[in-house]
């Protein structure tokens, strides 16, 4: 079973990573993930968080392949662990 609070924190770390990367192509997913975190904090329904958490994981993995030092492995591991 997913620990949604820990997953929420992993998504928050992903948002911070997107912010540090500061690339226009990630602005939309960063914004949507921030919205979903706020929505989850309000109603505790993780559906949007899960959807955009999966997208964030895919984007960060792809970016890490090309730029191995720019994405912390722990962030990817935390997202993956909670999405199983």
């Amino acid at each position: 079973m997913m620990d949604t609070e820990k997953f929420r924190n992993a998504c928050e770390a992903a948002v911070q990573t997107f912010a540090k990367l500061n690339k226009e192509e990630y602005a939309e997913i960063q914004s949507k993930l921030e919205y979903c975190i706020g929505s989850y904090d309000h109603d505790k329904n993780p559906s949007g968080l899960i959807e955009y958490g999966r997208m964030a994981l895919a984007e960060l993995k792809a970016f890490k392949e090309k730029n191995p030092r720019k994405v912390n492995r722990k962030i990817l591991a935390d997202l993956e662990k909670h999405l199983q």
Side-chain angles (χ1 to χ4, degrees):
M1 171 139 173
M2 175 191 276
D3 182 334
T4 46
E5 285 300 317
K6 286 185 179 172
F7 181 65
R8 179 232 176 266
N9 294 340
C11 288
E12 182 71 45
V15 165
Q16 291 168 6
T17 300
F18 284 127
K20 281 183 198 159
L21 295 177
N22 197 22
K23 298 221 177 264
E24 184 61 38
E25 67 217 67
Y26 300 128
E28 184 177 351
I29 192 161
Q30 179 185 345
S31 168
K32 298 228 186 211
L33 200 51
E34 286 172 335
Y35 174 83
C36 290
I37 290 167
S39 175
Y40 171 76
D41 287 347
H42 177 71
D43 64 14
K44 299 300 180 206
N45 179 345
S47 62
L49 202 58
I50 292 167
E51 179 183 349
Y52 284 98
R54 280 197 174 103
M55 287 183 206
L57 177 61
E59 293 289 345
L60 289 172
K61 272 184 163 177
F63 185 83
K64 185 169 177 65
E65 281 180 23
K66 296 175 195 153
N67 308 275
R69 295 174 174 255
K70 298 228 177 167
V71 177
N72 185 323
R73 230 178 294 140
K74 182 177 178 346
I75 292 168
L76 299 178
D78 285 350
L79 286 170
E80 281 180 329
K81 180 171 86 179
H82 297 295
L83 281 169
Q84 292 177 357

